Amino acid sequence: MDPFRFVAAADEHAARAAASAGARYLAGGTTLVDLMKLHVERPRTVVDINALPLTEIAETPGGGVRVGALVRNSDMAHHPLIRARFPLLSQALLAGASPQIRNMATTGGNLLQRTRCYYFRDTSAACNKREPGSGCSALDGCNRIHAVLGTSDHCIATHPSDMCVALAALDAFVLLSGPRGSRVVPLVEFHLMPGDHPERETAIEPGELITAVDVPPLGFATRSAYVKVRDRASYAFALASAAVALDLRGGEIRDARIALGGVATKPWRAREAERTLVGRPPDAASFRAAADAALAGARPRAHNGFKIELAKRTIVRALTRAGAMA
Amino acid sequence: MSPTELDTQAPPFAEPHVADQTADVALIVNGRALRLVIDPRVTLLDALREHLQLTGTKKGCDHGQCGACTVHVGGRRVLSCLTLAAAAQGQSITTIEGLAESDRLHPMQQAFIDCDGFQCGYCTAGQIMSAVALLQEPCGPDDDDVRESMSGNICRCGAYPGIVAAVQAVRGRRR
């Protein structure tokens, strides 16, 4: 690790005051400390925000839930409100990392997880995300784990989060607090596609602090599933994942939510796929048509073409599972 | 930089000290109140091993991918390699050295011996700390539930069948 100044912030004001240029907020540390050891993250100041009172999970009017930024992933996953109303979110959280890491990792930190791209994590490689303008070693390198959706000529790194995929399907909102007050950003707009500036990953502004995530009410989220496919059965990042929810009435799909992980540069909402399902019966043909629509824009590189069919089958399996729920 | 027993005259957990290159950290490790003045880069793992000479906790990958460094902070299992010691200010830490009561092993330690839950032993401290924490967590009854809940601890010798047997024995799911 490079040397840094350590500041333990007692409250939000102190945290923001200490967060000058080159500072990083420390919550669970599961991404930040790892990347500091690799010299990928080199903060001059580390501001420990763990004392801030952002640890509540509370019901919001209409049946939604507000989750504090410092709620640990394990606590969110096992919370009765999350389990009962948003099973896909609980499943996504429990599909991520390991119990130890879930006890550390926070809601806000999970939103700011950095990619697992080998070249981003290796300071001897070219990476436009880590070192803007240096190039992208992944484009013609080992790109089996890389994205097929939302890529650019400058970056094909996948977004690693499971939680964010479920939150994208649920139309969640990110609550931010900053020097100029508070604001709310839809989760699907919070993460940015790489485009010409892969170093810009989120809509967060300097000095802003994530305070909470709002999950709005969605009645049919009780009929939902998160399916994750990876190289081993547990404790691995997704090759492909799907968070889905189905509004099923009278043998017909009235509404649907589909979001993808492991295959895109950001938590990927597949709205075209959702539209193809409306008015159709919940059967294999409908699910396959939706999967085809979701991956229609996919652009593979040399080693990740398999992800297109894998993602389609993951979507079909998730929809089948949700459709079969009582 | 050697650890000192906490001065009982001083307030046990004063306001966190802020300095450019050192952190003044108070910890309770296996029931002992200790104070360390350390570089803020020191992880909890290195604080335990290099500053407190508690070498039972092992350094495997040092990147949160193997679980060998698992300890309990505030009663919950975490990875000490990804925890800055300074961020554990005031916390109660339990390591493998803190499980036994004098000469009486923790039931999970005994079960790992009885069930052949290790071979080389390098991952064992982390495995046992995970397994003890698992007893207090929501975990289904089946072997597969235990495997999933223990997936954050890698064993390169492949002692997994013995590890699952040990956990299930302590949970009363198998004899």
Side-chain angles (χ1 to χ4, degrees):
Chain A
M1 279 184 241
D2 293 10
F4 57 85
R5 195 169 73 99
F6 183 86
V7 181
D11 55 40
E12 207 176 297
H13 180 74
R16 287 212 308 270
S20 51
R24 281 279 188 261
Y25 292 127
L26 174 72
T30 57
T31 292
L32 182 63
V33 175
D34 177 34
L35 291 176
M36 284 166 64
K37 291 183 181 188
L38 296 171
H39 303 281
V40 171
E41 289 276 8
R42 303 167 67 187
R44 292 214 298 266
T45 305
V46 170
V47 183
D48 182 351
I49 58 168
N50 283 291
L52 271 54
L54 303 172
T55 56
E56 293 287 307
I57 297 181
E59 193 170 9
T60 54
V65 177
R66 175 167 294 182
V67 183
L70 287 171
V71 171
R72 309 292 152 171
N73 284 181
S74 50
D75 294 328
M76 195 199 320
H78 294 301
H79 194 278
L81 280 175
I82 301 294
R83 288 171 58 97
R85 295 185 187 170
F86 308 110
L88 76 173
L89 179 54
S90 179
Q91 290 167 24
L93 285 157
L94 293 175
S98 70
Q100 293 97 309
I101 291 174
R102 294 195 292 268
N103 277 343
M104 304 168 72
T106 62
T107 313
N110 196 319
L111 289 169
L112 298 177
Q113 259 191 98
R114 311 295 302 275
T115 182
R116 302 299 295 190
C117 173
Y118 323 119
Y119 305 103
F120 170 74
R121 292 172 60 82
D122 177 358
T123 54
S124 68
C127 173
N128 290 321
K129 192 182 274 301
R130 175 169 38 74
E131 194 69 52
S134 66
C136 173
S137 294
L139 286 174
D140 297 307
C142 296
N143 48 40
R144 177 177 176 274
I145 67 166
H146 289 76
V148 294
L149 292 167
T151 59
S152 78
D153 292 340
H154 307 286
C155 184
I156 57 171
T158 50
H159 193 270
S161 172
D162 295 294
M163 178 191 84
C164 292
V165 180
L167 291 177
L170 290 168
D171 276 332
F173 296 91
V174 181
L175 278 63
L176 298 165
S177 154
R180 283 174 304 193
S182 302
R183 65 187 181 113
V184 178
V185 179
L187 182 116
V188 291
E189 293 168 22
F190 181 77
H191 299 97
L192 309 177
M193 286 203 274
D196 293 335
H197 289 284
E199 76 279 8
R200 294 184 199 156
E201 298 183 349
T202 69
I204 203 162
E205 299 284 347
E208 279 188 319
L209 185 68
I210 300 170
T211 55
V213 166
D214 262 358
V215 187
L218 184 71
F220 68 87
T222 51
R223 181 186 288 283
S224 68
Y226 186 76
V227 172
K228 178 178 180 180
V229 181
R230 41 196 155 171
D231 279 323
R232 58 186 183 194
S234 184
Y235 199 15
F237 288 90
L239 293 170
S241 73
V244 307
L246 284 177
D247 184 5
L248 209 55
R249 276 173 286 171
E252 187 179 280
I253 299 168
R254 303 291 180 90
D255 199 355
R257 299 287 177 86
I258 301 175
L260 302 178
V263 291
T265 52
K266 58 175 276 186
W268 194 261
R269 184 72 180 270
R271 293 187 195 278
E272 323 70 42
E274 295 169 3
R275 280 192 285 271
T276 68
L277 287 173
V278 176
R280 296 189 61 165
D283 60 21
S286 305
F287 296 161
R288 182 68 198 190
D292 287 340
L295 274 295
R299 288 175 46 191
R301 305 294 301 184
H303 309 129
N304 61 1
F306 75 98
K307 281 194 174 186
I308 296 174
E309 181 59 24
L310 187 68
K312 289 180 183 180
R313 294 182 189 188
T314 306
I315 294 168
V316 170
R317 183 175 296 184
L319 289 169
T320 304
R321 190 174 294 176
M325 289 174 74
Chain B
M1 300 263 184
S2 64
T4 54
E5 295 289 336
L6 198 65
D7 182 352
T8 49
Q9 300 301 306
F13 303 120
E15 281 299 300
H17 179 70
V18 176
D20 270 356
Q21 295 301 338
T22 60
D24 191 339
V25 185
L27 301 173
I28 302 168
V29 181
N30 299 329
R32 275 174 72 210
L34 300 165
R35 197 180 142 198
L36 290 166
V37 179
I38 48 174
D39 187 307
R41 290 175 289 182
V42 173
T43 61
L44 180 58
L45 173 60
D46 286 339
L48 292 169
R49 288 183 56 83
E50 309 298 335
H51 295 265
L52 298 171
Q53 283 72 51
L54 290 168
T55 53
T57 305
K58 295 295 185 272
K59 181 181 285 192
C61 69
D62 208 24
H63 283 280
Q65 298 176 19
C66 79
C69 68
T70 301
V71 300
H72 298 179
V73 174
R76 289 156 64 112
R77 52 171 159 165
V78 301
L79 299 178
S80 60
C81 77
L82 294 183
T83 304
L84 294 179
Q89 183 72 252
Q91 295 274 10
S92 186
I93 320 287
T94 306
T95 69
I96 190 73
E97 290 93 340
L99 283 188
E101 288 179 33
S102 62
D103 284 343
R104 209 172 79 248
L105 292 179
H106 186 281
M108 192 63 75
Q109 291 173 304
Q110 188 60 50
F112 266 64
I113 295 169
D114 296 342
C115 300
D116 252 344
F118 56 91
Q119 186 178 317
C120 85
Y122 198 82
C123 72
T124 308
Q127 298 278 1
I128 291 175
M129 295 314 289
S130 253
V132 169
L134 179 157
L135 301 174
Q136 312 299 325
E137 295 171 0
C139 175
D142 299 333
D143 286 5
D144 271 351
D145 298 318
V146 173
R147 288 188 188 101
E148 171 59 30
S149 192
M150 292 295 291
S151 72
N153 293 81
I154 309 292
C155 171
R156 293 186 69 176
C157 300
Y160 298 112
I163 292 167
V164 173
V167 174
Q168 292 291 48
V170 174
R171 301 171 87 208
R173 305 275 177 190
R174 190 190 291 176
R175 188 52 244 165

